[in-house]
Amino acid sequence: MDDPFALLFPTAAATLRVATPLILAAMGGLFSERSGIIDVGLEGKMLMAAFFAAAVAAVTHSAWWGVAAAIAAAEVMALLHGLACITYRGNQVVSGVAINIIAAGLTIVWGNAWFQRGGQTPALDARSERLLPLFFPNAGDNILVYAALLSVPLTWWIVSRTRFGLRLRAVGEVPLAVDTAGISVPWLRYRAVLICGLFTGLAGAYIAIAQNAGFSRDMTAGQGFIALAAVIFGKWRPFPALGACLMFGLLDAVAIRLQGVRVPGVGEVPVQLIQALPYLLTVFLLAGFIGRAVAPKAIGQPYEKEH
Amino acid sequence: MTAAIALEGIDKSFGSVHAVRGVSLAIEKGAITGIIGENGAGKSTLMSILYGLYHADAGTIRVDGQPVRMDSPHAAIAHGIGMVHQHFMLIDGFTVLENVVLGAEGGPLLAGGLAAARAELERLERDYGLAVDPDARVADLSVGEQQRVEILKVLFRGARILILDEPSAVLTPQETDRLFRILATLKARGVTIVLITHKLREIMAATDRVYVMRQGRMVAERATPDTDAEELAELMVGRKVRLQLEKAPPRRGEVRLEAGHLGLVDARGVRLLDDVSLELRAGEIVGIAGVSGNGQTELLQVLAGIRPPSTGTLTVCGRTIDARHPGDPAEMRDLGLAHVPEDRLRQGMVAAFRASETAILGYHEQPQFNRRFLLSVPAVGAHCARLMERFDVRPQVPGLRSSSFSGGNQQKLVLAREMAQEPKVLLVGQPTRGVDIGAIEFIHRELVRSRDAGCAVLAVSVELDEILSLADRILVMFAGRIVGEVEGGADERTLGLMMAGAKAAPALSGAEG
Amino acid sequence: MRNPRRPLPAWADIVLLPLINIALAFVTVSIIVRINGVDPFHALRLLVVGALGSPESIGYTLYYATNFIFTGLAVAVAFHGGLFNIGGEGQAYIGGLGCGLAILALDRYLPAWAMIPIAILAAALFGAAWAAVPAWLQAWRGSHIVITTIMFNFVAAALMVYLMVNVLIAPGSMTPQSRNFEPSSFLPAMQGNALNLSLGLALVCCLAVWIFLWRTPWGYALRTMGHNPEAAVYAGTDLRRMTMVAMGISGGLAGFVGVNELMGVHHRIVLDFPAGYGFAGIAVALMGRNHPLGIALAALLFGILQQGGAELAFEIPTITREMVVVIQGLVILFSGALVQLPRPWLQMLFALRRPS
């Protein structure tokens, strides 16, 4: 550790690289959860999006078609979630779990059927089939990184400053109040779920065609759940959720550098402990040991009108 | 003059429950119209139909003489109808302003709409005296203020007809007074008001005309000055054929249950029970009369050990319970206290269980049903069959799902379960709610038989007739307190007035407008 | 809006609706298979032969089914208490750790008759403890059990990696796995096959769970809590304690996956042995209608799919064994989240049959 400044930029860049999909997925999850729809299926949507991004980019030789395909794939899964949770008033957690499992299986089944590489997609050509850094060639600052950073103020603005945002916040708290105000609860929630699909699509595309050069099995590796944890940790608000994503990203970036390093006074910090920290912190938060995270009141409850 | 709203032949059923039966009424423009009736009489359902929350199975709704379709709240709002619900439709975390504009934001961006709403709120405040800080969070407001926000919401949408569903249910007397002053002002400015309540006092003080509902029917219509509280009380409760129940005078024994100054305060600080003292002796039936929602439910919960009292003490068969030494239902059962809950479906049984399983709820750990560690299915089945036989539960099939039985048979099963224990104390909530005539008689006779066998029985009922024919002594509850005690067979009018709080409650001031 | 026109007859609700849901899942799968250019019926034939065509394949089928029974029962017990345990994965992992630790500590000193029961007990206790923490957090601290159990899956995985890499790794080993167990801890197994005595344990668990839920006062109280918490309070049940009991039993059952995998097959502690069985348990429980008999049958079906799917993947290169994962997901979707999907259609059909 000779020069602290020489370390700062790479660490910051690494943090941002890791945090980008988390931020995108977290903003998506935030929309869904603020509307009252639990989304444990962020992971599955991202995975599906990552697969289609890589597959379509490889076939069309265009990163942009890859991004479009990723969004489309995530939206299909989001619609499925909406259908189950909103129209058929099914259990939201069950639906999310189903989406995760279906995505885990289907990406490999299709990947294998189409490319015969054990579930992987062909390595993408760096120039046309991947999203490239815009300003700093070594920092990985591709367009989706900036999109992620922009998505946070945008989310904040939509949620707190627009009619849609007001209604979104309302429907997650007291859907009956929204209904009696003459606003359609299902349509509002469908829009929230579709926005979530858009964001998770971008997150998946980032992982497959920006951060990596192709799809490999289970490549989201729990990032969807970390994003969910960040939503909770940020108490369902955009900027605190961004903070949580950056913190989790930093932990990850540091974990790699701390491997085998002895911290004075502590000894060697197990990498796994740092990896588990996002989950542990979220559990502590939920249990009220560090502050209080209060979920939107109507979360997880299907809205049922008596007739 | 055409009525502001006319309902004609409105009919509505939920599954097998016929909630509203062919109701017609006319609401006069610029007046306050009251709809009175007991809980479950169909008032709220009727108003929900008017507001487009429910769809009537039959009937016509006219606004200003024109037939209209109310298929959603949106339609109702468009016709100038606004509703203040009993349970506020407010979002706690929102500011007053945000709550008011929800659904009427005036554009995709909030800023403009909020500014316009702020100006409109100031005008409403000037015109109607409805002062609420627009930037306060609803969660920080008192209940009375929250209700004002609800009224503001409705007025902000330009409503000319205001429906209030049990507006005073959650208010203190002072807040209630203030509400009625506001209503008087609104009326003076030409707003049509419909007031739904079960409180006679409010009807007499605030309305110009009153409709009385009972069991889904509109049973009477009066101009308020031409009637009085006594008449309305009778109409509300109904003059059913007095069930002749033959019973000997009670032979009272020792005190089995004693409540001393019980108080119960909920998490929001609302006082549900206030200084309730009572004594229950072996061999007597004590009836608790009162309009529902005056603390009877909570009293039963405390007596049964389900909720610990906030203050005061409760002694059951020698065991004393207070806030620091709470009891629990299992312990109370062991002491010999049995409890037939008010709401059998929600508390007294498990709809998805077989009848035989429901027949041991609360007693499932008793040795008679267990062989070593295992529940004995034959013993449970035989027990249920015995109960069904003795209480004439039909069909006599212990294996049938509990939800498949009719209300009367469910009630007989629950009652049988509790009485089979030969308890020292029996608490019965609404002994015959939703039960057919034949079963009512049977249940009453069984309760008296139990009393004669030396059991101390406490019966809570909103049915005045039931209390009058069943009880040896009657305690009347109002606003969480016991406001009076009369002997069994007392006259209905005294009791009715006590129940309506007309005797004990402070006079309403300033509501004449 | 969806009017509950007229309720379906009971038999349609109990039998027909679930069957239609499962059928929908399999129809969807065959469409996916079709997209991959394979005749679904041909694939089905290969799959059945691959799973049941020889004693050896039947052995593997039953070995997979064993794991599915454990995790399916785990989900079902919690579910009967009104709790959704999606932490089966982590509980299986930690259960395996418990059984492995007991064996590593004692296998050189104890004979098989003492070692095996102790190790099985350790698996149950560790699995139960891992489930008890989320249960405690829900009962006393009000945190949502679904989120906590998800998070605990990841914590369990991180913990196991740490332990395997840093603590339990066999001296001189390159891969993160413990030393080999002594034979005193081996469960009797079919010659040259993964099927072992854990299947017996699984069947005993089925029976025990059935007895517990439907033949003991505690199971009665647990089911009351699941159906109607208010009635459970009325009946004198302490909901907090019962939450702990339900999750403890659930976690213990999930922990038995470790017995099947480590004591029956690997004979050492390895990484990643729960391999999705915890999540698959949700599908098994949903398909088995949360009844031990149904779960045993559903587990057998999933065992057939798992084993047959592997053989199928071997025969047809365009199909991989992950097809089974897709089926699991679809079963969860159709019999869980979309249960109500066929109801309006069915109601319409029944209304046609008996015009009112």
Side-chain angles (χ1 to χ4, degrees):
Chain A
M1 308 237 173
D2 32 350
D3 181 4
F5 286 103
L7 259 175
L8 200 61
F9 183 72
T11 309
T15 300
L16 210 51
R17 276 200 301 274
V18 178
T20 293
L22 302 182
I23 296 169
L24 287 167
M27 292 307 125
L30 195 141
F31 274 102
S32 178
E33 300 230 339
R34 281 308 279 267
S35 82
I37 305 287
I38 295 182
D39 201 345
V40 298
L42 293 176
E43 176 87 0
K45 285 196 280 261
M46 279 164 75
L47 191 64
M48 204 62 139
F51 171 72
F52 274 94
V56 172
V59 172
T60 61
H61 307 295
S62 155
W64 297 109
W65 280 116
V67 173
I71 293 171
E75 291 292 14
V76 169
M77 301 303 263
L79 269 178
L80 198 59
H81 192 51
L83 193 70
C85 303
I86 304 168
T87 305
Y88 288 101
R89 300 188 201 90
N91 185 312
Q92 301 175 2
V93 176
V94 171
S95 169
V97 169
I99 281 170
N100 288 338
I101 295 178
I102 290 171
L106 215 48
T107 48
I108 299 172
V109 167
W110 275 339
N112 203 54
W114 298 342
F115 303 107
Q116 283 99 34
R117 291 164 186 255
Q120 288 196 332
T121 59
L124 297 176
D125 171 57
R127 289 156 54 92
S128 59
E129 295 166 7
R130 289 186 63 195
L131 294 175
L132 295 175
L134 296 183
F135 304 112
F136 308 99
N138 296 320
D141 62 325
N142 61 73
I143 188 160
L144 287 181
V145 175
Y146 295 102
L149 288 176
L150 265 177
S151 74
V152 180
L154 184 68
T155 302
W156 173 83
W157 183 77
I158 291 174
V159 168
S160 64
R161 290 289 183 268
T162 68
R163 174 172 67 190
F164 172 69
L166 183 79
R167 293 176 172 189
L168 180 85
R169 285 180 281 143
V171 80
E173 296 285 331
V174 190
L176 191 59
V178 171
D179 196 3
T180 51
I183 306 162
S184 161
V185 172
W187 173 224
L188 202 48
R189 289 190 163 165
Y190 261 110
R191 276 182 288 172
V193 165
L194 288 175
I195 293 175
C196 179
L198 172 70
F199 276 111
T200 46
L202 291 176
Y206 174 85
I207 293 173
I209 65 175
Q211 200 175 17
N212 298 284
F215 178 85
S216 57
R217 57 165 57 205
D218 289 325
M219 79 180 307
T220 45
Q223 291 178 76
F225 290 103
I226 297 202
L228 181 67
V231 174
I232 298 168
F233 207 80
K235 304 182 181 182
W236 291 270
R237 288 174 300 162
F239 283 106
L242 167 70
C245 290
L246 290 175
M247 179 175 78
F248 296 161
L250 178 68
L251 283 173
D252 196 274
V254 167
I256 298 159
R257 281 161 200 276
L258 271 185
Q259 196 123 31
V261 177
R262 299 189 71 83
V263 177
V266 186
E268 198 173 316
V269 180
V271 181
Q272 292 80 16
L273 177 64
I274 299 174
Q275 284 167 345
L277 261 182
Y279 307 113
L280 283 173
L281 288 173
T282 306
V283 168
F284 281 132
L285 181 80
L286 274 177
F289 292 121
I290 34 174
R292 245 263 163 259
V294 182
K297 265 201 214 100
I299 201 163
Q301 299 159 6
Y303 179 65
E304 216 143 345
K305 219 199 259 199
E306 291 171 66
H307 275 263
Chain B
M1 184 176 140
T2 49
I5 298 174
L7 303 181
E8 290 159 13
I10 300 289
D11 217 85
K12 175 74 184 170
S13 296
F14 297 101
S16 59
V17 182
H18 203 163
V20 174
R21 307 167 188 237
V23 167
S24 301
L25 64 82
I27 289 159
E28 197 187 324
K29 226 173 243 170
I32 301 184
T33 305
I35 299 180
I36 194 165
E38 289 217 293
N39 283 8
K43 315 179 293 280
S44 293
T45 308
L46 189 66
M47 288 303 117
S48 295
I49 290 169
L50 176 55
Y51 191 61
L53 282 170
Y54 298 152
H55 300 226
D57 301 333
T60 317
I61 300 174
R62 288 176 196 278
V63 177
D64 294 330
Q66 299 301 312
V68 294
R69 274 179 59 86
M70 291 294 179
D71 43 12
S72 72
H74 206 78
I77 293 166
H79 285 105
I81 298 172
M83 184 150 174
V84 175
H85 301 264
Q86 184 176 358
H87 305 287
F88 300 153
M89 300 291 168
L90 296 176
I91 290 125
D92 277 353
F94 279 19
T95 64
V96 170
L97 205 55
E98 286 176 320
N99 267 295
V100 168
V101 299
L102 181 66
E105 298 87 346
L109 299 186
L110 279 183
L114 288 176
R118 190 182 295 275
E120 176 67 8
L121 283 192
E122 274 165 21
R123 189 186 71 76
L124 290 172
E125 181 184 336
R126 270 199 316 277
D127 287 3
Y128 300 109
L130 280 160
V132 190
D133 173 11
D135 297 310
R137 258 165 41 101
V138 163
D140 302 330
L141 299 180
S142 74
V143 178
E145 288 172 313
Q146 291 187 4
Q147 190 169 55
R148 258 170 271 153
V149 177
E150 281 282 16
I151 296 175
L152 282 171
K153 249 170 83 172
V154 170
L155 295 176
F156 180 73
R157 284 161 175 71
R160 295 164 292 114
I161 300 159
L162 183 62
I163 306 170
L164 296 112
D165 188 3
E166 301 281 359
S168 65
V170 287
L171 301 183
T172 64
Q174 293 77 17
E175 284 175 331
T176 308
D177 288 353
R178 174 137 192 212
L179 169 70
F180 283 101
R181 279 200 298 276
I182 291 169
L183 293 187
T185 317
L186 289 172
K187 177 185 155 188
R189 314 259 160 172
V191 178
T192 304
I193 293 168
V194 182
L195 179 65
I196 305 168
T197 182
H198 60 251
K199 295 182 181 168
L200 291 163
R201 203 157 60 87
E202 294 170 4
I203 291 287
M204 294 312 298
T207 65
D208 302 304
R209 177 163 287 277
V210 54
Y211 287 87
V212 185
M213 282 190 82
R214 189 171 73 227
Q215 291 173 347
R217 290 202 173 79
M218 194 60 81
V219 293
E221 177 198 351
R222 299 279 186 276
T224 311
D226 301 343
T227 185
D228 54 28
E230 287 87 341
E231 188 196 19
L232 290 179
E234 278 178 24
L235 287 167
M236 228 170 111
V237 179
R239 283 184 163 278
K240 286 167 222 144
V241 185
R242 183 65 122 358
L243 298 163
Q244 283 304 315
L245 189 63
E246 298 200 359
K247 56 175 193 183
R251 285 177 320 211
R252 295 194 167 92
E254 85 270 15
V255 176
R256 290 267 173 84
L257 180 149
E258 192 179 355
H261 311 288
L262 285 180
L264 183 68
V265 180
D266 75 0
R268 296 188 64 174
V270 177
R271 191 162 278 282
L272 299 167
L273 288 181
D274 191 4
D275 195 27
V276 171
S277 297
L278 61 89
E279 199 180 81
L280 187 59
R281 286 174 178 274
E284 67 169 346
I285 299 179
V286 171
I288 305 269
V291 176
S292 59
N294 277 291
Q296 301 98 310
T297 302
E298 291 77 12
L299 179 64
L300 267 184
Q301 286 176 335
V302 170
L303 297 184
I306 292 172
R307 283 173 93 160
S310 310
T311 52
T313 57
L314 167 67
T315 307
V316 178
C317 305
R319 158 84 157 95
T320 299
I321 282 166
D322 59 27
R324 281 192 303 163
H325 309 91
D328 70 73
E331 188 192 356
M332 301 303 258
R333 270 192 197 92
D334 289 342
L335 289 168
L337 179 142
H339 173 203
V340 178
E342 281 190 305
D343 188 337
R344 62 178 167 264
L345 272 174
R346 264 180 52 195
Q347 285 200 299
M349 51 184 277
V350 180
F353 277 9
R354 296 162 201 267
S356 58
E357 290 177 298
T358 282
I360 59 166
L361 186 68
Y363 304 99
H364 51 278
E365 291 191 19
Q366 280 191 353
Q368 57 164 319
F369 304 124
N370 289 282
R371 304 274 175 274
R372 298 231 174 95
F373 301 108
L374 298 187
L375 271 178
S376 160
V377 174
V380 171
H383 175 72
C384 183
R386 270 197 309 277
L387 295 182
M388 288 177 146
E389 169 86 45
R390 201 168 100 57
F391 274 75
D392 191 30
V393 178
R394 279 177 245 181
Q396 282 194 23
V397 185
L400 206 62
R401 272 166 71 102
S402 305
S403 57
S404 310
F405 290 83
S406 72
N409 284 301
Q410 288 174 347
Q411 184 72 348
K412 282 199 276 187
L413 185 62
V414 172
L415 202 68
R417 175 183 76 210
E418 299 303 320
M419 287 173 70
Q421 301 296 321
E422 295 177 352
K424 294 200 174 92
V425 179
L426 177 63
L427 309 177
V428 193
Q430 315 303 343
T432 56
R433 177 180 281 172
V435 166
D436 55 283
I437 298 281
I440 290 177
E441 231 183 305
F442 179 85
I443 289 170
H444 285 176
R445 274 207 312 275
E446 283 300 323
L447 288 173
V448 171
R449 195 202 308 257
S450 182
R451 172 198 82 155
D452 292 342
C455 180
V457 180
L458 182 91
V460 172
S461 176
V462 292
E463 302 285 340
L464 208 48
D465 283 311
E466 175 162 85
I467 290 289
L468 284 168
S469 61
L470 201 55
D472 302 314
R473 280 193 297 138
I474 301 168
L475 304 176
V476 183
M477 281 195 85
F478 178 74
R481 305 166 60 122
I482 289 179
V483 294
E485 175 173 345
V486 293
E487 285 302 307
D491 90 290
E492 255 175 57
R493 287 177 59 144
T494 328
L495 216 51
L497 278 178
M498 280 182 166
M499 282 167 64
K503 280 201 167 165
L508 208 61
S509 56
E512 283 74 30
Chain C
M1 298 251 48
R2 214 162 313 283
N3 224 343
R5 273 160 260 232
R6 105 187 355 211
L8 291 174
W11 68 269
D13 229 343
I14 295 168
V15 183
L16 200 55
L17 205 58
L19 282 180
I20 292 175
N21 284 314
I22 290 164
L24 281 173
F26 281 91
V27 167
T28 313
V29 172
S30 46
I31 293 172
I32 294 170
V33 169
R34 186 81 256 185
I35 291 175
N36 281 8
V38 178
D39 174 16
F41 292 100
H42 178 60
L44 183 67
R45 201 163 43 246
L46 285 175
L47 188 141
V48 171
V49 171
L52 303 170
S54 68
E56 206 201 351
S57 53
I58 292 176
Y60 275 101
T61 296
L62 292 176
Y63 147 74
Y64 291 126
T66 307
N67 284 337
F68 289 123
I69 291 177
F70 287 137
T71 54
L73 288 176
V75 173
V77 169
F79 185 82
H80 277 289
L83 302 163
F84 195 10
N85 176 16
I86 46 181
E89 200 77 8
Q91 291 143 20
Y93 222 159
I94 299 299
L97 173 69
C99 119
L101 285 179
I103 294 169
L104 290 177
L106 301 170
D107 63 350
R108 292 186 172 143
Y109 315 106
L110 292 183
W113 61 265
M115 186 66 255
I116 289 173
I118 288 176
I120 290 175
L121 195 67
L125 285 179
F126 271 60
W130 200 250
V133 182
W136 184 83
L137 288 171
Q138 161 146 325
W140 271 270
R141 310 286 313 190
S143 49
H144 201 311
I145 209 156
V146 166
I147 302 292
T148 325
T149 47
I150 292 178
M151 299 295 149
F152 262 57
N153 285 337
F154 289 98
V155 176
L159 177 67
M160 287 301 283
V161 172
Y162 171 75
L163 288 177
M164 294 314 297
V165 172
N166 297 295
V167 183
L168 295 172
I169 190 166
S173 169
M174 285 284 117
T175 46
Q177 53 192 27
S178 76
R179 72 163 168 84
N180 288 345
F181 299 160
E182 295 294 324
S184 67
S185 72
F186 291 10
L187 282 176
M190 184 175 157
Q191 190 68 41
N193 198 292
L195 178 64
N196 62 77
L197 201 60
S198 302
L199 178 63
L201 178 65
L203 295 177
V204 169
C205 284
C206 281
L207 186 66
V209 164
W210 181 79
I211 289 174
F212 171 76
L213 285 175
W214 282 281
R215 288 293 181 273
T216 70
W218 307 290
Y220 175 90
L222 188 148
R223 286 185 298 123
T224 308
M225 174 171 87
H227 281 295
N228 186 344
E230 229 179 303
V233 171
Y234 162 79
T237 303
D238 182 342
L239 296 190
R240 290 173 165 177
R241 224 181 56 195
M242 195 47 81
T243 300
M244 299 290 287
V245 170
M247 283 300 284
I249 293 174
S250 174
L253 287 164
F256 286 147
V257 170
V259 172
N260 189 29
E261 289 294 321
L262 304 188
M263 295 169 70
V265 180
H266 296 291
H267 301 308
R268 58 187 169 220
I269 310 180
V270 295
L271 281 178
D272 290 331
F273 65 82
Y277 289 113
F279 289 119
I282 300 167
V284 175
L286 284 169
M287 193 165 167
R289 306 281 280 165
N290 291 301
H291 190 284
L293 183 64
I295 286 168
L297 292 174
L300 183 64
L301 180 73
F302 276 111
I304 290 172
L305 289 172
Q306 190 95 7
Q307 165 61 16
E311 295 290 319
L312 183 63
F314 189 72
E315 300 275 340
I316 304 178
T318 51
I319 292 184
T320 58
R321 51 187 307 169
E322 277 74 18
M323 202 66 190
V324 180
V325 179
V326 177
I327 299 177
Q328 287 167 1
L330 289 169
V331 166
I332 296 177
L333 184 72
F334 283 107
S335 346
L338 283 172
V339 256
Q340 302 302 336
L341 179 74
R343 185 181 295 275
W345 306 97
L346 262 187
Q347 277 169 337
M348 242 149 71
L349 276 179
F350 275 90
L352 281 180
R353 222 184 47 161
R354 297 168 310 186
S356 45

